[in-house]
Amino acid sequence: MSKDTTVQMTPEEKLKLITRNLQEVLGGEELKKLLAERDISLYWGTAPTGKPHIAYFLAMTKIADFLQAGCHVKVLIADIHAFLDNLKSPIELVKLRAQYYEQIVKCMLKSIGVPLEKLEFVIGSSYELTPEFTMDNYKLASCVTEHDAKKAGAEVVKQSDSPPLSGLLYPGMQALDEHYLGVDAQFGGIDQRKIFTFAEKYLPILGYKKRIHMMNPMVPGLQGAKMSSSDPDSKIDLLDSKKSVKTKINKAFCEEGNVETNGVLMFVKHVLFPISSLRDDKPEFVVERPEKYGGNTVYSDYESLECDFAEKKVHPGDLKNSVSSAINILLDPIREHFEQPEMQKLLADAYPAPKAVSKPVKQKKKHNKCPEDRTMPAAESVEEKLAGTTI
């Protein structure tokens, strides 16, 4: 990460750094107004459900930008939300997964050179179980319609034909987080937009101010769709081995000349280029290839790489090899940290291996055969039956 230049930065320069690479900002004028007066505070939240994957680096690069711009940044480990989201994290595992998430997020930030002393980590249950928060949650429930709650969580909360009530509480609690964390803004992915607009509508009803909302684009998965923890074919885990990373990237959809639905190319755009710019403000990505095929090519901006790929000057195989190398460099310090025995135990406890379900052995049925230890009773004659009948 580049040197702290917040003292020399003007409000305009801070605004540019805060908003670069974002897809959308709600409350842009308020952001300008606040920056003219002081540095802002904001939070980024993550629910400890499935294991984090490499797309989380997109949020880490923006956290680095916020810190460099002088923002006070809080990282919320939303443990209660993880449980509420259709039981993605069983209640007995939530605390362990919250610990795992805090460790993995810190490792990611360290791997890209972000100083942790400027960050504040908060566990959601530390304030979401207080009487004050609970009462506000009830107040919110009294004025939020089922339609609005369901709509707000449509892109984030797991959907099903018969969803539990907990999914309807999720958006309201996320809205209240903004007030109880005492921040000016919330940062998240563009998939959070409906929850953000929900918060802007309902917080003022409780007498709380409307916050600024900043959104990152979503990183496509390796097969073109959204990168998701629940889809192993779409993602690379942060603790995957070097061999596994290379294998997954080699299997990724990366059609020659296709720059529209190309998860590998999009990862370079949204993650690798921004990370490289953190070091000395000069983004760089190297496409590695043998000398007989032209040797390495250094790109200082994504647009040039995209243009060459579209014109088939960059082969998908060379792009994949280069991306695999870059990812493994990012993951090396994370893998090393989790080789420690206490981290191995935390990982095993937070994500225990599923228990093998033994199938009951079916007993073969013998049809039309009388058991050897008993014989069929002799049939009564008609006379015997009549003799025992009383008229």
Side-chain angles (χ1 to χ4, degrees), residues 209-273:
K209 68 177 183 178
K210 183 168 68 173
R211 264 65 179 188
I212 300 161
H213 295 101
M214 298 179 283
M215 288 158 274
N216 256 344
M218 300 303 294
V219 177
L222 299 180
Q223 303 304 325
K226 176 185 175 181
M227 195 173 287
S228 169
S229 295
S230 60
D231 183 1
D233 293 330
S234 75
K235 66 185 179 73
I236 291 174
D237 286 333
L238 295 168
L239 298 179
D240 277 349
S241 66
K242 290 186 178 183
K243 182 178 179 181
S244 179
V245 169
K246 189 171 181 62
T247 299
K248 288 183 178 182
I249 291 294
N250 284 342
K251 289 181 179 179
F253 178 77
C254 186
E255 183 182 28
E256 188 175 20
N258 182 347
V259 298
E260 299 299 327
T261 54
N262 190 323
V264 178
L265 202 57
M266 290 300 100
F267 188 77
V268 177
K269 176 182 180 179
H270 294 300
V271 177
L272 296 181
F273 264 111

Side-chain angles (χ1 to χ4, degrees), residues 45-188:
T46 180
T49 53
K51 296 177 185 176
H53 46 73
I54 56 170
Y56 277 61
F57 273 112
L58 179 59
M60 300 303 106
T61 61
K62 279 312 302 173
I63 287 175
D65 284 344
F66 297 147
L67 290 172
Q68 189 175 350
C71 302
H72 178 203
V73 181
K74 296 182 180 182
V75 175
L76 172 66
I77 309 295
D79 53 342
I80 302 297
H81 290 78
F83 172 69
L84 289 176
D85 190 0
N86 212 19
L87 304 183
K88 281 184 179 179
S89 280
I91 192 67
E92 63 272 13
L93 296 180
V94 165
K95 287 186 178 180
L96 290 167
R97 291 187 178 180
Q99 293 173 33
Y100 174 78
Y101 262 61
E102 183 169 348
Q103 287 293 325
I104 207 82
V105 168
K106 286 180 177 178
C107 283
M108 293 178 74
L109 291 168
K110 283 181 180 178
S111 76
I112 60 174
V114 178
L116 298 183
E117 60 271 14
K118 294 185 176 182
L119 284 171
E120 180 181 350
F121 283 82
V122 182
I123 302 297
S125 56
S126 67
Y127 64 87
E128 289 174 345
L129 300 179
T130 61
E132 294 79 13
F133 188 97
T134 301
M135 194 64 236
D136 272 346
N137 207 15
Y138 288 148
K139 289 178 181 177
L140 205 56
S142 71
C143 60
V144 173
T145 65
E146 178 191 7
H147 172 271
D148 282 0
K150 191 172 183 179
K151 179 183 176 182
E155 300 294 325
V156 178
V157 180
K158 186 177 180 181
Q159 302 297 301
S160 62
D161 293 333
S162 183
L165 178 61
S166 58
L168 298 178
L169 299 176
Y170 191 111
M173 290 183 67
Q174 185 169 336
L176 288 173
D177 287 338
E178 296 179 349
H179 172 72
Y180 279 83
L181 288 170
V183 294
D184 300 306
Q186 183 179 173
F187 163 65

Side-chain angles (χ1 to χ4, degrees), residues 40 52 65 146 191 200 231 243 255 271 284 288 304 347 349:
I40 68 165
D65 284 344
E146 178 191 7
D191 60 337
E200 291 185 2
D231 183 1
K243 182 178 179 181
E255 183 182 28
V271 177
E284 179 181 287
E288 303 169 348
S304 299
L347 176 60
D349 291 345

Side-chain angles (χ1 to χ4, degrees), residues 4-18 30-43 65-74 118 182-185 209 212 214:
D4 186 358
T5 57
T6 55
V7 176
Q8 296 83 12
M9 292 177 70
T10 64
E12 291 75 20
E13 290 170 332
K14 290 181 181 181
L15 178 65
K16 184 177 180 180
L17 186 56
I18 288 170
E30 178 66 14
L31 177 58
K32 291 178 183 178
K33 179 182 175 183
L34 287 177
L35 286 174
E37 301 170 357
R38 58 174 173 82
D39 292 326
I40 68 165
S41 61
L42 61 93
Y43 94 89
D65 284 344
F66 297 147
L67 290 172
Q68 189 175 350
C71 302
H72 178 203
V73 181
K74 296 182 180 182
K118 294 185 176 182
V183 294
D184 300 306
K209 68 177 183 178
I212 300 161
M214 298 179 283

